[in-house]
PDB file of all heavy atoms in Angstrom:
ATOM      1  N   GLY A 121       9.881  24.849 -10.800  1.00  0.00           N
ATOM      2  CA  GLY A 121       9.463  24.664 -12.184  1.00  0.00           C
ATOM      3  C   GLY A 121       9.085  25.975 -12.835  1.00  0.00           C
ATOM      4  O   GLY A 121       9.418  26.221 -14.001  1.00  0.00           O
ATOM      5  N   ALA A 122       8.400  26.836 -12.105  1.00  0.00           N
ATOM      6  CA  ALA A 122       8.024  28.145 -12.655  1.00  0.00           C
ATOM      7  C   ALA A 122       9.248  29.005 -12.917  1.00  0.00           C
ATOM      8  O   ALA A 122       9.349  29.690 -13.940  1.00  0.00           O
ATOM      9  CB  ALA A 122       7.063  28.854 -11.677  1.00  0.00           C
ATOM     10  N   ALA A 123      10.237  28.965 -11.998  1.00  0.00           N
ATOM     11  CA  ALA A 123      11.467  29.725 -12.190  1.00  0.00           C
ATOM     12  C   ALA A 123      12.239  29.219 -13.396  1.00  0.00           C
ATOM     13  O   ALA A 123      12.762  30.003 -14.201  1.00  0.00           O
ATOM     14  CB  ALA A 123      12.328  29.651 -10.929  1.00  0.00           C
ATOM     15  N   GLU A 124      12.306  27.896 -13.577  1.00  0.00           N
ATOM     16  CA  GLU A 124      13.006  27.343 -14.719  1.00  0.00           C
ATOM     17  C   GLU A 124      12.295  27.727 -16.020  1.00  0.00           C
ATOM     18  O   GLU A 124      12.940  28.019 -17.018  1.00  0.00           O
ATOM     19  CB  GLU A 124      13.073  25.820 -14.602  1.00  0.00           C
ATOM     20  CG  GLU A 124      13.888  25.158 -15.663  1.00  0.00           C
ATOM     21  CD  GLU A 124      14.059  23.669 -15.460  1.00  0.00           C
ATOM     22  OE1 GLU A 124      13.691  23.164 -14.381  1.00  0.00           O
ATOM     23  OE2 GLU A 124      14.560  23.014 -16.374  1.00  0.00           O
ATOM     24  N   ARG A 125      10.999  27.754 -15.983  1.00  0.00           N
ATOM     25  CA  ARG A 125      10.264  28.143 -17.181  1.00  0.00           C
ATOM     26  C   ARG A 125      10.499  29.617 -17.521  1.00  0.00           C
ATOM     27  O   ARG A 125      10.603  29.993 -18.694  1.00  0.00           O
ATOM     28  CB  ARG A 125       8.786  27.854 -16.987  1.00  0.00           C
ATOM     29  CG  ARG A 125       7.982  28.086 -18.233  1.00  0.00           C
ATOM     30  CD  ARG A 125       6.542  27.697 -18.040  1.00  0.00           C
ATOM     31  NE  ARG A 125       5.832  27.838 -19.270  1.00  0.00           N
ATOM     32  CZ  ARG A 125       5.415  26.830 -20.015  1.00  0.00           C
ATOM     33  NH1 ARG A 125       5.636  25.605 -19.627  1.00  0.00           N
ATOM     34  NH2 ARG A 125       4.775  27.059 -21.132  1.00  0.00           N
ATOM     35  N   MET A 126      10.576  30.453 -16.481  1.00  0.00           N
ATOM     36  CA  MET A 126      10.800  31.882 -16.745  1.00  0.00           C
ATOM     37  C   MET A 126      12.211  32.133 -17.257  1.00  0.00           C
ATOM     38  O   MET A 126      12.427  32.958 -18.144  1.00  0.00           O
ATOM     39  CB  MET A 126      10.568  32.695 -15.460  1.00  0.00           C
ATOM     40  CG  MET A 126       9.096  32.809 -15.111  1.00  0.00           C
ATOM     41  SD  MET A 126       8.662  33.671 -13.590  1.00  0.00           S
ATOM     42  CE  MET A 126      10.120  34.390 -13.005  1.00  0.00           C
ATOM     43  N   VAL A 127      13.195  31.383 -16.756  1.00  0.00           N
ATOM     44  CA  VAL A 127      14.576  31.615 -17.172  1.00  0.00           C
ATOM     45  C   VAL A 127      14.849  31.018 -18.539  1.00  0.00           C
ATOM     46  O   VAL A 127      15.412  31.665 -19.416  1.00  0.00           O
ATOM     47  CB  VAL A 127      15.541  31.022 -16.113  1.00  0.00           C
ATOM     48  CG1 VAL A 127      16.974  31.030 -16.627  1.00  0.00           C
ATOM     49  CG2 VAL A 127      15.434  31.794 -14.811  1.00  0.00           C
ATOM     50  N   PHE A 128      14.442  29.774 -18.743  1.00  0.00           N
ATOM     51  CA  PHE A 128      14.749  29.080 -19.993  1.00  0.00           C
ATOM     52  C   PHE A 128      13.602  29.056 -20.992  1.00  0.00           C
ATOM     53  O   PHE A 128      13.734  28.493 -22.058  1.00  0.00           O
ATOM     54  CB  PHE A 128      15.179  27.634 -19.695  1.00  0.00           C
ATOM     55  CG  PHE A 128      16.415  27.538 -18.863  1.00  0.00           C
ATOM     56  CD1 PHE A 128      16.344  27.097 -17.546  1.00  0.00           C
ATOM     57  CD2 PHE A 128      17.647  27.897 -19.386  1.00  0.00           C
ATOM     58  CE1 PHE A 128      17.484  27.011 -16.778  1.00  0.00           C
ATOM     59  CE2 PHE A 128      18.782  27.797 -18.615  1.00  0.00           C
ATOM     60  CZ  PHE A 128      18.698  27.358 -17.302  1.00  0.00           C
ATOM     61  N   HIS A 129      12.472  29.626 -20.637  1.00  0.00           N
ATOM     62  CA  HIS A 129      11.278  29.691 -21.475  1.00  0.00           C
ATOM     63  C   HIS A 129      10.695  28.310 -21.774  1.00  0.00           C
ATOM     64  O   HIS A 129       9.906  28.172 -22.671  1.00  0.00           O
ATOM     65  CB  HIS A 129      11.543  30.427 -22.801  1.00  0.00           C
ATOM     66  CG  HIS A 129      12.145  31.787 -22.575  1.00  0.00           C
ATOM     67  ND1 HIS A 129      11.441  32.797 -21.972  1.00  0.00           N
ATOM     68  CD2 HIS A 129      13.378  32.276 -22.837  1.00  0.00           C
ATOM     69  CE1 HIS A 129      12.201  33.865 -21.897  1.00  0.00           C
ATOM     70  NE2 HIS A 129      13.383  33.590 -22.404  1.00  0.00           N
ATOM     71  N   ARG A 130      11.164  27.327 -21.074  1.00  0.00           N
ATOM     72  CA  ARG A 130      10.666  25.982 -21.263  1.00  0.00           C
ATOM     73  C   ARG A 130      11.196  25.105 -20.146  1.00  0.00           C
ATOM     74  O   ARG A 130      12.331  25.263 -19.732  1.00  0.00           O
ATOM     75  CB  ARG A 130      11.121  25.447 -22.615  1.00  0.00           C
ATOM     76  CG  ARG A 130      10.537  24.139 -22.998  1.00  0.00           C
ATOM     77  CD  ARG A 130      11.218  23.651 -24.200  1.00  0.00           C
ATOM     78  NE  ARG A 130      10.266  23.518 -25.291  1.00  0.00           N
ATOM     79  CZ  ARG A 130      10.580  23.034 -26.450  1.00  0.00           C
ATOM     80  NH1 ARG A 130      11.787  22.690 -26.707  1.00  0.00           N
ATOM     81  NH2 ARG A 130       9.672  22.899 -27.393  1.00  0.00           N
ATOM     82  N   ILE A 131      10.414  24.191 -19.682  1.00  0.00           N
ATOM     83  CA  ILE A 131      10.875  23.240 -18.674  1.00  0.00           C
ATOM     84  C   ILE A 131      11.610  22.129 -19.408  1.00  0.00           C
ATOM     85  O   ILE A 131      11.182  21.652 -20.452  1.00  0.00           O
ATOM     86  CB  ILE A 131       9.712  22.708 -17.838  1.00  0.00           C
ATOM     87  CG1 ILE A 131       9.086  23.854 -17.057  1.00  0.00           C
ATOM     88  CG2 ILE A 131      10.162  21.601 -16.900  1.00  0.00           C
ATOM     89  CD1 ILE A 131       7.886  23.469 -16.264  1.00  0.00           C
ATOM     90  N   ASN A 132      12.698  21.656 -18.850  1.00  0.00           N
ATOM     91  CA  ASN A 132      13.521  20.582 -19.411  1.00  0.00           C
ATOM     92  C   ASN A 132      14.116  20.979 -20.763  1.00  0.00           C
ATOM     93  O   ASN A 132      14.290  20.114 -21.634  1.00  0.00           O
ATOM     94  CB  ASN A 132      12.741  19.274 -19.546  1.00  0.00           C
ATOM     95  CG  ASN A 132      12.408  18.682 -18.206  1.00  0.00           C
ATOM     96  OD1 ASN A 132      13.119  18.900 -17.234  1.00  0.00           O
ATOM     97  ND2 ASN A 132      11.318  17.927 -18.145  1.00  0.00           N
ATOM     98  N   ASP A 133      14.432  22.223 -20.957  1.00  0.00           N
ATOM     99  CA  ASP A 133      15.064  22.662 -22.198  1.00  0.00           C
ATOM    100  C   ASP A 133      16.562  22.509 -22.026  1.00  0.00           C
ATOM    101  O   ASP A 133      17.278  23.435 -21.714  1.00  0.00           O
ATOM    102  CB  ASP A 133      14.679  24.111 -22.496  1.00  0.00           C
ATOM    103  CG  ASP A 133      15.118  24.517 -23.901  1.00  0.00           C
ATOM    104  OD1 ASP A 133      15.408  23.592 -24.699  1.00  0.00           O
ATOM    105  OD2 ASP A 133      15.179  25.706 -24.161  1.00  0.00           O
ATOM    106  N   HIS A 134      17.030  21.307 -22.216  1.00  0.00           N
ATOM    107  CA  HIS A 134      18.427  20.961 -21.978  1.00  0.00           C
ATOM    108  C   HIS A 134      18.920  20.262 -23.239  1.00  0.00           C
ATOM    109  O   HIS A 134      18.170  19.577 -23.924  1.00  0.00           O
ATOM    110  CB  HIS A 134      18.511  20.054 -20.769  1.00  0.00           C
ATOM    111  CG  HIS A 134      19.894  19.917 -20.221  1.00  0.00           C
ATOM    112  ND1 HIS A 134      20.757  18.951 -20.659  1.00  0.00           N
ATOM    113  CD2 HIS A 134      20.554  20.618 -19.267  1.00  0.00           C
ATOM    114  CE1 HIS A 134      21.900  19.052 -19.995  1.00  0.00           C
ATOM    115  NE2 HIS A 134      21.791  20.060 -19.140  1.00  0.00           N
ATOM    116  N   TYR A 135      20.210  20.377 -23.516  1.00  0.00           N
ATOM    117  CA  TYR A 135      20.727  19.792 -24.752  1.00  0.00           C
ATOM    118  C   TYR A 135      20.587  18.257 -24.749  1.00  0.00           C
ATOM    119  O   TYR A 135      20.483  17.648 -25.802  1.00  0.00           O
ATOM    120  CB  TYR A 135      22.183  20.197 -24.995  1.00  0.00           C
ATOM    121  CG  TYR A 135      23.181  19.563 -24.084  1.00  0.00           C
ATOM    122  CD1 TYR A 135      23.833  18.392 -24.456  1.00  0.00           C
ATOM    123  CD2 TYR A 135      23.500  20.119 -22.842  1.00  0.00           C
ATOM    124  CE1 TYR A 135      24.752  17.793 -23.612  1.00  0.00           C
ATOM    125  CE2 TYR A 135      24.405  19.533 -22.007  1.00  0.00           C
ATOM    126  CZ  TYR A 135      25.032  18.357 -22.394  1.00  0.00           C
ATOM    127  OH  TYR A 135      25.945  17.774 -21.574  1.00  0.00           O
ATOM    128  N   LEU A 136      20.570  17.663 -23.588  1.00  0.00           N
ATOM    129  CA  LEU A 136      20.390  16.203 -23.539  1.00  0.00           C
ATOM    130  C   LEU A 136      18.951  15.797 -23.836  1.00  0.00           C
ATOM    131  O   LEU A 136      18.698  14.691 -24.266  1.00  0.00           O
ATOM    132  CB  LEU A 136      20.798  15.669 -22.163  1.00  0.00           C
ATOM    133  CG  LEU A 136      22.286  15.750 -21.832  1.00  0.00           C
ATOM    134  CD1 LEU A 136      22.520  15.269 -20.412  1.00  0.00           C
ATOM    135  CD2 LEU A 136      23.099  14.940 -22.807  1.00  0.00           C
ATOM    136  N   MET A 137      18.026  16.705 -23.546  1.00  0.00           N
ATOM    137  CA  MET A 137      16.606  16.401 -23.760  1.00  0.00           C
ATOM    138  C   MET A 137      16.148  16.747 -25.168  1.00  0.00           C
ATOM    139  O   MET A 137      15.034  16.426 -25.556  1.00  0.00           O
ATOM    140  CB  MET A 137      15.740  17.175 -22.756  1.00  0.00           C
ATOM    141  CG  MET A 137      16.071  16.887 -21.312  1.00  0.00           C
ATOM    142  SD  MET A 137      15.752  15.191 -20.835  1.00  0.00           S
ATOM    143  CE  MET A 137      13.996  15.228 -20.774  1.00  0.00           C
TER     144      MET A 137
END
Side-chain angles (χ1 to χ4, degrees):
E124 186 175 350
R125 186 176 184 108
M126 287 177 8
V127 170
F128 298 110
H129 307 293
R130 186 188 242 185
I131 296 177
N132 292 333
D133 191 16
H134 195 271
Y135 72 93
L136 292 176
M137 302 295 287

